[in-house]
Amino acid sequence: EIVLTQSPGTLSLSPGERATLSCRASQGISSNALSWYQQKPGQAPRLLIYIASSRAPGIPDRFSGSGSGTDFTLTISRLEPEDFAVYYCQQYGSSLTFGGGTKVEIK
Amino acid sequence: EVQLLESGGALVQTGGSLRLSCAASGFTFSSYGMHWVRQAPGRGLEWVSSISGSGGDTYYADSVKGRLTISRDNSKNTLYLQMNSLRADDTAIYYCAKDPNYEGKKRFDFWGQGTLVSVSS
């Protein structure tokens, strides 16, 4: 099973700042089969990024994904108030697993 | 518009059974794989099970294998999760999610709002 480790656990930033979230895999993920999701309190998750860097329909371009192999990054270029949430990475290169999440909170 | 509506969550005793349903609309249900994903209170997301568009292929997390069974009725546009031998650590919100592909081995492009299963002794 591929284990995904997200860091940091919590990121404290102000609106307008840049957020950089990391997702590291225990082994290489084939075909960049990695997605990112956003979850706000009391809501279901929402797909943001798939195949490591493709934005899902309707996702603002301030969200971007990068990386390959074992190291992946989600970047939010300028945080908007609605971006404060928990973010999960998920791989589908070998079965399906999620990372533990990164909470982006208001500083 | 894709809509997924889960139902069937309840408080159940340890060792008991429950069947969850997910009614789908807004897309050709039989053309897409489907998933169940759960989230224990205050915890992260855990993939539970997946099924292909025809229902012919199913996949399970090791933690639920042999106790939970995924199925679908394409004539009713409905996904199911039969839950047997329930344990306290099955307590979670259970989300139904759609896969963008037929095989159901990829990712989750639409999610329902979830249904709560609580297992208590």
Side-chain angles (χ1 to χ4, degrees):
Chain A
E1 174 184 299
I2 295 179
V3 176
L4 299 178
T5 302
Q6 292 189 241
S7 62
T10 302
L11 199 51
S12 298
L13 295 167
S14 300
E17 290 194 295
R18 181 184 188 90
T20 303
L21 287 67
S22 173
C23 177
R24 179 162 291 177
S26 59
Q27 56 188 277
I29 297 175
S30 60
S31 306
N32 285 344
L34 186 113
S35 296
W36 290 92
Y37 301 83
Q38 176 194 65
Q39 187 179 32
K40 298 178 182 179
Q43 296 185 18
R46 176 175 70 147
L47 176 66
L48 299 175
I49 301 287
Y50 62 98
I51 316 177
S53 61
S54 296
R55 264 188 305 275
I59 301 304
D61 61 6
R62 64 180 181 273
F63 290 93
S64 63
S66 63
S68 63
T70 59
D71 290 296
F72 298 86
T73 300
L74 175 69
T75 301
I76 311 171
S77 59
R78 293 172 311 279
L79 282 164
E80 297 288 340
E82 62 268 28
D83 299 336
F84 292 91
V86 179
Y87 292 84
Y88 295 95
C89 58
Q90 173 250 330
Q91 68 80 26
Y92 48 96
S94 173
S95 189
L96 301 172
T97 53
F98 286 95
T102 290
K103 181 179 181 180
V104 179
E105 65 176 22
I106 299 176
K107 186 175 181 179
Chain B
E1 178 192 5
V2 172
Q3 291 194 344
L4 300 170
L5 184 61
E6 302 95 335
S7 61
L11 174 62
V12 62
Q13 288 193 323
T14 301
S17 297
L18 206 56
R19 189 176 82 157
L20 306 183
S21 300
C22 171
S25 61
F27 63 102
T28 304
F29 184 66
S30 60
S31 294
Y32 297 94
M34 297 292 294
H35 308 273
W36 290 100
V37 176
R38 68 185 180 183
Q39 186 169 36
R43 306 294 296 273
L45 301 170
E46 180 188 16
W47 168 71
V48 172
S49 183
S50 305
I51 189 167
S52 63
S54 67
D57 295 299
T58 57
Y59 312 92
Y60 297 94
D62 288 343
S63 59
V64 306
K65 206 170 288 184
R67 300 187 302 115
L68 275 56
T69 303
I70 192 171
S71 63
R72 63 193 297 161
D73 185 337
N74 287 343
S75 69
K76 295 182 179 179
N77 289 351
T78 302
L79 176 72
Y80 301 102
L81 186 67
Q82 178 66 42
M83 309 174 75
N84 297 331
S85 303
L86 282 163
R87 311 184 307 215
D89 62 359
D90 293 318
T91 294
I93 296 172
Y94 285 74
Y95 294 102
C96 161
K98 173 186 167 292
D99 195 289
N101 296 280
Y102 176 84
E103 293 82 6
K105 297 172 65 176
K106 300 280 187 186
R107 56 190 178 269
F108 318 99
D109 60 352
F110 290 94
W111 298 65
Q113 284 305 303
T115 188
L116 178 62
V117 173
S118 295
V119 183
S120 170
S121 56

